[in-house]
């Protein structure tokens, strides 16, 4: 083999070995995303009850709605003394006939005349007593209607789960840094955490989709008629978090 060929082969082998060597990583800044997810069973329910009456006399409609809501509130307080009650959304508006007679040509338009008045009121009930929720709702439905219901975490459970979410996300960051250090041929002890951005994902306002309300509608029940207990499944809530960490290798 000629000297020139030997030189060419040696150069090729040296280039191959050089290409196989890892790049220097001293002072390298690595941006590492991390994720954390935790789940806990819902321990609180928010129910909305409503009382509504319609009558041609506005005062009669209002009185009947007021009596219904007062009776329904008393039933709920007796069934669940620890529940948090909040009144909101009292409304009164006219009811017009669906079919209006045609107006004569060239005549001044006449304002519509209401045929009745509709009066209603809402009551929000928050409770952690899920064991008796079905009985409470059934008792209240004899007088007022269940307009909506969703399950969620109580403030105490929310705080606990949020702390667990932060811990899970930070643990995932450490695991990823260790994996990156191994891939770079470095010891994880050579990595120094420069920055941790817990707002990097924009998820710090909460995951509305995870905690989307499970709305449950109920038809209006007669005052004296007994109501069978409904069936509720509280479900659970999942919180997600994403952070971005900056790691510099010595």
């Amino acid at each position: 083999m000629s000297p020139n060929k030997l030189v060419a082969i040696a150069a090729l082998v040296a280039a191959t070995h050089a290409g196989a060597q890892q790049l220097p990583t001293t002072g390298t800044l690595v941006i590492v995303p991390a994720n954390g997810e935790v789940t806990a069973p819902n321990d609180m329910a928010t129910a909305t009850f409503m009382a509504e009456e319609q009558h041609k006399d506005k005062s009669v409609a209002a009185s009947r709605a007021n009596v219904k809501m007062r009776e329904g509130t008393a039933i709920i307080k007796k069934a669940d003394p620890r529940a948090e009650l909040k009144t909101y959304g009292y409304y009164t508006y006219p009811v017009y006939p669906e079919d209006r007679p045609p107006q004569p040509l060239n005549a001044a338009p006449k304002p519509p005349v209401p045929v009745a008045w509709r009066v209603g009121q809402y009551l929000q009930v928050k409770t952690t007593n899920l064991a008796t929720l079905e009985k409470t709702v059934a008792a209240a439905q004899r007088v007022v209607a269940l307009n909506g219901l969703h399950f969620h975490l109580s403030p105490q459970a929310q705080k606990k789960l949020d702390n667990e979410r932060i811990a899970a996300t930070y643990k995932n960051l450490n695991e990823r840094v260790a994996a990156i250090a191994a891939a770079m041929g470095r010891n994880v002890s050579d990595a120094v955490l420069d920055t941790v951005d817990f707002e990097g994902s924009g998820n710090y306002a909460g995951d509305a989709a995870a905690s989307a309300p499970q709305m449950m509608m109920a038809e209006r029940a007669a005052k004296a008629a007994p109501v069978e207990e409904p069936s509720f499944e509280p479900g659970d809530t999942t919180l997600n978090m994403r952070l971005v960490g900056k790691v510099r290798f010595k």
Side-chain angles (χ1 to χ4, degrees):
M1 184 177 295
S2 65
N4 291 335
K5 287 185 177 181
L6 290 175
V7 172
I9 292 174
L12 180 61
V13 171
T16 301
H17 283 291
Q21 293 178 355
Q22 291 185 329
L23 296 173
T25 57
T26 302
T28 300
L29 180 65
V30 181
I31 298 177
V32 185
N35 298 277
E37 180 178 289
V38 289
T39 302
N42 292 321
D43 65 336
M44 193 170 196
T46 297
T48 303
F49 294 90
M50 67 175 294
E52 184 179 88
E53 283 292 330
Q54 181 173 315
H55 196 273
K56 62 181 180 180
D57 189 323
K58 186 193 301 184
S59 298
V60 173
S63 295
R64 290 178 177 177
N66 294 346
V67 169
K68 271 190 173 183
M69 182 54 71
R70 183 165 60 249
E71 293 178 357
T73 300
I75 291 173
I76 295 170
K77 286 183 177 180
K78 182 178 179 180
D80 190 353
R82 295 183 299 174
E84 301 176 14
L85 277 62
K86 177 182 178 181
T87 299
Y88 74 98
Y90 198 105
Y91 59 88
T92 302
Y93 61 87
V95 178
Y96 297 101
E98 296 182 1
D99 299 325
R100 295 178 58 189
Q103 297 286 341
L105 296 176
N106 301 324
K110 296 181 180 180
V113 178
V115 295
W117 292 87
R118 187 169 294 162
V119 180
Q121 181 180 346
Y122 292 97
L123 176 68
Q124 182 186 82
V125 179
K126 291 185 178 182
T127 180
T128 56
N129 191 3
L130 303 187
T132 62
L133 178 63
E134 296 167 354
K135 292 183 178 180
T136 301
V137 170
Q141 282 182 306
R142 289 181 295 171
V143 181
V144 293
L146 178 64
N147 181 256
L149 173 69
H150 74 274
F151 295 95
H152 52 93
L153 297 175
S154 64
Q156 297 80 5
Q158 174 79 29
K159 181 178 180 180
K160 181 176 182 295
L161 193 63
D162 190 54
N163 292 340
E164 294 176 0
R165 174 175 60 170
I166 294 174
T169 309
Y170 193 77
K171 179 182 178 182
N172 182 250
L173 174 64
N174 281 275
E175 292 171 348
R176 291 194 170 203
V177 170
I180 292 172
M184 297 172 63
R186 300 293 300 271
N187 294 322
V188 70
S189 58
D190 295 334
V192 178
L193 194 58
D194 181 83
T195 303
V196 178
D197 180 11
F198 279 94
E199 299 182 2
S201 65
N203 197 37
Y204 51 90
D207 189 349
S211 57
Q214 304 172 13
M215 299 305 299
M216 306 187 67
M217 305 303 295
E219 295 183 357
R220 186 171 181 173
K223 179 177 180 180
V227 178
E228 293 294 331
E229 292 182 11
S231 178
F232 299 143
E233 296 294 336
D236 52 39
T237 294
T238 299
L239 297 182
N240 299 279
M241 174 174 283
R242 181 176 183 272
L243 66 81
V244 176
K246 294 182 180 180
V247 179
R248 190 179 299 277
F249 285 88
K250 301 176 183 178

